[in-house]
Amino acid sequence: MKKYLLSTILAVGTPTIALADCGEVSMAEMNWASAGVVVAVSEFLLEQGYGCDVAVVPSDTTPAVTSLAENNEPDIVPELWPNSAGDVYEKMKKGGKIVELTSVLDPGGVEGWWIPTYLAEAHPELKTIDGVLANPELVGGMFNNCPDGWGCRIVSDNLARAFDLEGHDIEVFNHGSGETLATSMASAFESEEPWFGYYWAPTTPLGKYDMTSIDLGDYDAEIHSANQNADTPAPKPSAFPTAPVLTVVTKDFSESHPEETELLSNVSFKTDTMSGLLAWQDENNASNEETAVYFLQNNKDIWGPWLNDSAREKLGALLK
């Protein structure tokens, strides 16, 4: 059925006729799940609606930024996390070599400490960190922490100290891998048991499981920055910031492809929507292309307005 849907949707466009409209463009595909879906959707719309011949280049944040700086390629980076891109990215931005088009994830990358929503509904006091600290038994007396080597591990370690979790009878359990962290959440849901720990979105688990983010108080940029240092002597409480996730193109591309740039400026997914797509992908063992088909077939009201009149006409059969 998935292959049938894919072949049906791909048959809508007429790329051999329209290729001259746009020509060849290059697009980076980062090596994490949401980026693969964003690329698959963007590639389809660019090829079938705008006549582009899209070359997808496997990449990651550092090599993509380095290539942009040294080679002015790829033309498009559909899902870039600037907070991981470093000084080279900022220099290119200030120098006008790249153009930031839109937040491809809205509101962005989300981090936090979470409990299952069924637990929050049964015990509303647990929606705040003060309520959790006052009722450690209700969260199972355990905090599920990031694996060693993850950036979130340092921040969560410092927050665990700042909130004195262990002094409030909450054991900090350091998971050995991302897989065991996700499995612990899944196992809790199967039995409707307590679970308390770190997670982020967009991700498959937060698409599968209804979770409530704990209110950790106000976000303080200075405190959060200090909490990213493992040697911070006296960490303080701060909520996690929402990380901007942007679509970026080269200045040359934006000037030579104004209509395609306008399309990419419109491509944006709610973070919760993307988590839901990743959950569907996992449950159906689907490829990025098949997940793009699922999104396109079921969310015409979202992506239809992204298109210009010409592209809307080419994809008219799909929009009916």
Side-chain angles (χ1 to χ4, degrees):
M1 175 59 72
K2 289 182 293 186
K3 290 181 179 179
Y4 169 75
L5 293 174
L6 183 61
S7 62
T8 300
I9 199 169
L10 290 177
V12 171
T14 54
T16 55
I17 296 174
L19 280 180
D21 295 351
C22 170
E24 295 184 1
V25 299
S26 55
M27 181 186 300
E29 180 178 347
M30 304 308 202
N31 61 354
W32 53 83
S34 60
V37 175
V38 171
V39 165
V41 171
S42 300
E43 179 185 9
F44 177 84
L45 295 178
L46 284 168
E47 290 190 338
Q48 307 299 333
Y50 292 75
C52 298
D53 182 8
V54 180
V56 176
V57 183
S59 192
D60 201 344
T61 302
T62 299
V65 170
T66 300
S67 182
L68 283 170
E70 296 179 355
N71 306 314
N72 203 36
E73 294 178 346
D75 299 307
I76 309 162
V77 183
E79 188 179 320
L80 185 77
W81 296 58
N83 61 350
S84 302
D87 294 338
V88 174
Y89 176 81
E90 289 300 321
K91 289 179 181 177
M92 286 192 295
K93 178 181 173 182
K94 291 179 180 178
K97 193 172 183 178
I98 58 174
V99 180
E100 295 179 342
L101 297 185
T102 189
S103 295
V104 71
L105 295 179
D106 177 22
V110 178
E111 296 181 271
W113 288 4
W114 307 76
I115 59 172
T117 296
Y118 57 74
L119 194 60
E121 291 175 345
H123 304 283
E125 65 271 25
L126 298 179
K127 293 180 181 180
T128 69
I129 187 61
D130 288 340
V132 170
L133 296 176
N135 300 277
E137 72 285 353
L138 295 181
V139 296
M142 179 181 292
F143 173 75
N144 291 274
N145 201 5
C146 303
D148 191 25
W150 289 21
C152 58
R153 171 64 176 274
I154 296 173
V155 177
S156 283
D157 279 351
N158 278 324
L159 287 177
R161 292 165 58 200
F163 291 120
D164 189 22
L165 293 188
E166 294 189 344
H168 288 83
D169 297 323
I170 298 176
E171 176 190 358
V172 177
F173 182 82
N174 300 318
H175 281 271
S177 68
E179 288 76 13
T180 64
L181 178 61
T183 298
S184 70
M185 183 189 295
S187 177
F189 260 79
E190 289 175 3
S191 305
E192 287 202 3
E193 295 177 345
W195 191 91
F196 171 46
Y198 170 91
Y199 225 79
W200 76 103
T203 51
T204 297
L206 288 192
K208 282 186 175 183
Y209 310 119
D210 189 2
M211 301 291 287
T212 294
S213 181
I214 298 297
D215 184 353
L216 299 178
D218 294 334
Y219 165 66
D220 186 298
E222 185 175 346
I223 290 175
H224 180 72
S225 178
N227 285 345
Q228 292 176 297
N229 185 345
D231 297 324
T232 294
K236 299 177 182 178
S238 170
F240 289 87
T242 299
V245 186
L246 307 177
T247 293
V248 175
V249 299
T250 64
K251 181 182 179 182
D252 289 349
F253 179 86
S254 69
E255 293 177 347
S256 62
H257 292 75
E259 293 189 355
E260 292 77 12
T261 297
E262 182 181 3
L263 166 68
L264 294 168
S265 297
N266 294 332
V267 176
S268 181
F269 301 80
K270 293 293 185 183
T271 301
D272 288 347
T273 298
M274 180 56 71
S275 288
L277 288 173
L278 298 180
W280 182 91
Q281 182 180 41
D282 181 73
E283 291 166 0
N284 290 274
N285 194 28
S287 67
N288 292 331
E289 290 75 16
E290 289 164 340
T291 307
V293 168
Y294 174 79
F295 169 77
L296 292 167
Q297 289 188 320
N298 292 281
N299 297 277
K300 299 172 185 179
D301 58 325
I302 294 177
W303 64 267
W306 295 348
L307 308 173
N308 63 18
D309 290 341
S310 176
R312 195 172 293 112
E313 182 178 352
K314 291 175 185 175
L315 295 172
L318 188 57
L319 285 166
K320 290 180 180 178

